[in-house]
Amino acid sequence: MTQVLCVAGARPNFMKIAPVMAALAETGIAAQLLHTGQHYDAAMSDSFFADLGIPRPEHHLEVGSGSHAVQTAEVMKRFEPVLETVQPQAVLVVGDVNSTLACALVAAKHGVRVIHVEAGLRSYDRGMPEEINRVLTDQISDLLFITEKSALANLVREGIDPARVEFVGNVMIDTLYRNLERAVPASHTLGTLLPQYAVLTLHRPSNVDDPDTLAALLDVIGEINRSLPVAMPLHPRTRGNIEKFGFTARLDGLHILPPLGYLEMLGLMRDAKLVLTDSGGIQEETTALGVPCLTLRENTERPITLTEGTNTLVGPDPAAIRAAFSDVMSNGGKAGRIPEYWDGRAAMRIAYTLKGWLPQRKGASAISGIKAA
Ligand code: UD1
């Protein structure tokens, strides 16, 4: 009998599901993995399964790309019969992508308990599709695992019983520690040895879907590149828009790379002087690595990376990016420290909690959930 049906769908899910699957196996919890196929390119999906040793999914929904409504609806339609066949005791979802919400919603309507890993993060920006996914997934989750304590206050504000919330730390950082020694050196990925360089990632719709915003960002990056070489792995959405808007010449002089595998990206970040990003996960990974990070967004749902980590919220404004960059160049950037429970053991905490929780009735609280105080 399958106890937990685990769901992953898009690139940022894979590094979160890997340690969870391993910890469930280690503690003897019967789990199956389902891939929705939200991300399907070899570079966006298969390479992560290989690099991280994630077991081959028992189920693959092959939904592919589409508008938010189409993609979410397709996942729901195709997930329902699988859920009916497998009849797990619980469905475990991670993160905040469309697949996360879609599967949580189907499970909740079927009366199957929902476990959300990385619950409670809030940007308070409802213009972000991920924020909608976070709020709604948390509302219908029975057990909510959080990566930082600020998430508890967010959940309580939304009326969620703190007894259902458990502070376990960050499973994505479990994966980071587990693979640091295997990380591919940057010189290998870049094809050359750069004494110092920056890494840039951009893929948020708010940064890359509007031509004026994207042009201004690429121009200021071009300036930075003249004093510190910039390596930029290109997300398919960003590449597509750069081509569509006729901005290809704006990439001249940058080290443009394809989407990288996990071990290549880890090595590239580890050896960098600075990372500029609009990703959520990279804000956390740079904090764990102790590498300064400038976040090119107006807000972050991961405030601990600002208060304790190496992250600085800069936004998309070129003048602010220029100023923050020269700050890093003159004083080396924020040092930071490792947040509580980002210690490589988060997935084991989840598995031990589930050991006690799974046999309980629906509606039961977590075993030792951190309390609102
Ligand atoms: C999704 C997640 C976002 C996450 C990001 C990481 C949602 C709402 N968004 O955004 O939270 O940070 O993944 O990458 O779930 N494409 C390919 N190959 C692929 C996948 C996508 O070429 O394997 C192209 C398609 O043209 C697609 C576009 O990229 O339309 C965007 O993909 P999509 O999954 O819709 O959203 P992301 O921008 O990747």
Side-chain angles (χ1 to χ4, degrees):
M1 185 207 32
T2 300
Q3 293 174 280
V4 184
L5 181 57
C6 298
V7 173
R11 184 170 64 176
N13 289 165
F14 304 136
M15 41 290 231
K16 296 168 193 166
I17 211 69
V20 171
M21 295 297 295
L24 295 182
E26 205 174 318
T27 48
I29 295 173
Q32 286 191 2
L33 180 61
L34 176 136
H35 190 328
T36 65
Q38 176 173 344
H39 283 175
Y40 44 86
D41 284 353
M44 299 291 284
S45 176
D46 301 354
S47 87
F48 288 81
F49 279 74
D51 281 356
L52 303 177
I54 305 171
R56 201 184 154 78
E58 279 86 358
H59 313 276
H60 204 305
L61 304 183
E62 296 180 351
V63 295
S65 301
S67 68
H68 286 277
V70 166
Q71 192 172 59
T72 308
E74 268 316 313
V75 174
M76 291 181 70
K77 272 165 64 182
R78 298 182 193 198
F79 183 58
E80 186 167 50
V82 178
L83 187 69
E84 283 167 352
T85 308
V86 177
Q87 296 197 358
Q89 291 175 350
V91 166
L92 182 148
V93 296
V94 297
D96 55 17
V97 301
N98 288 341
S99 302
T100 308
L101 173 62
C103 294
L105 199 46
V106 173
K109 293 274 183 90
H110 269 266
V112 176
R113 288 179 291 175
V114 176
I115 303 160
H116 187 201
V117 175
E118 199 190 85
L121 297 179
R122 295 290 181 270
S123 65
Y124 291 95
D125 174 2
R126 294 276 170 111
M128 263 180 106
E130 295 81 2
E131 183 75 353
I132 309 286
N133 294 340
R134 292 181 198 117
V135 170
L136 297 179
T137 302
D138 286 339
Q139 277 298 325
I140 54 176
S141 290
D142 295 275
L143 181 56
L144 301 93
F145 291 113
I146 61 174
T147 54
E148 55 174 281
K149 283 184 180 166
S150 69
L152 177 63
N154 295 331
L155 293 169
V156 169
R157 201 172 299 130
E158 292 168 14
I160 289 166
D161 179 357
R164 289 196 277 139
V165 180
E166 182 94 356
F167 173 43
V168 289
N170 195 322
V171 291
M172 195 182 61
I173 304 304
D174 291 6
T175 296
L176 184 144
Y177 291 140
R178 201 157 298 163
N179 291 285
L180 206 45
E181 280 181 6
R182 300 167 60 221
V184 176
S187 57
H188 193 273
T189 304
L190 293 168
T192 176
L193 188 66
L194 295 174
Q196 287 198 328
Y197 62 89
V199 177
L200 167 72
T201 80
L202 279 181
H203 77 284
R204 291 258 155 252
S206 59
N207 280 335
V208 305
D209 285 1
D210 171 59
D212 293 340
T213 309
L214 183 58
L217 280 170
L218 293 177
D219 289 346
V220 71
I221 294 302
E223 280 173 40
I224 289 175
N225 186 54
R226 286 196 276 279
S227 41
L228 183 67
V230 175
M232 181 183 193
L234 260 191
H235 186 280
R237 170 191 283 278
T238 312
R239 177 179 290 281
N241 285 349
I242 287 173
E243 284 164 10
K244 187 167 84 191
F245 302 149
F247 289 169
T248 313
R250 285 187 153 95
L251 302 179
D252 286 351
L254 305 183
H255 289 254
I256 297 301
L257 300 164
L260 298 179
Y262 183 78
L263 298 172
E264 290 170 307
M265 189 62 190
L266 186 57
L268 195 64
M269 290 193 290
R270 179 194 59 192
D271 300 343
K273 180 172 176 62
L274 166 70
V275 172
L276 302 110
T277 192
D278 60 8
S279 151
I282 289 176
Q283 296 171 50
E284 298 184 331
E285 288 168 336
T286 46
T287 278
L289 291 167
V291 173
C293 177
L294 303 181
T295 294
L296 310 182
R297 285 174 43 190
E298 307 277 10
N299 50 54
T300 179
E301 61 286 337
R302 294 161 160 91
I304 204 162
T305 62
L306 302 175
T307 54
E308 295 188 16
T310 58
N311 190 18
T312 307
L313 203 54
V314 178
D317 173 49
I321 297 171
R322 229 174 264 127
F325 172 69
S326 58
D327 210 41
V328 174
M329 292 308 271
S330 55
N331 68 23
K334 244 166 139 174
R337 60 186 151 101
I338 307 289
E340 186 181 0
Y341 279 1
W342 291 24
D343 58 359
R345 298 194 41 78
M348 282 308 283
R349 291 189 191 97
I350 288 174
Y352 284 130
T353 302
L354 292 182
K355 270 277 191 208
W357 181 82
L358 283 168
Q360 297 177 21
R361 277 174 301 106
K362 187 167 166 59
S365 63
I367 303 306
S368 57
I370 60 167
K371 302 300 169 223

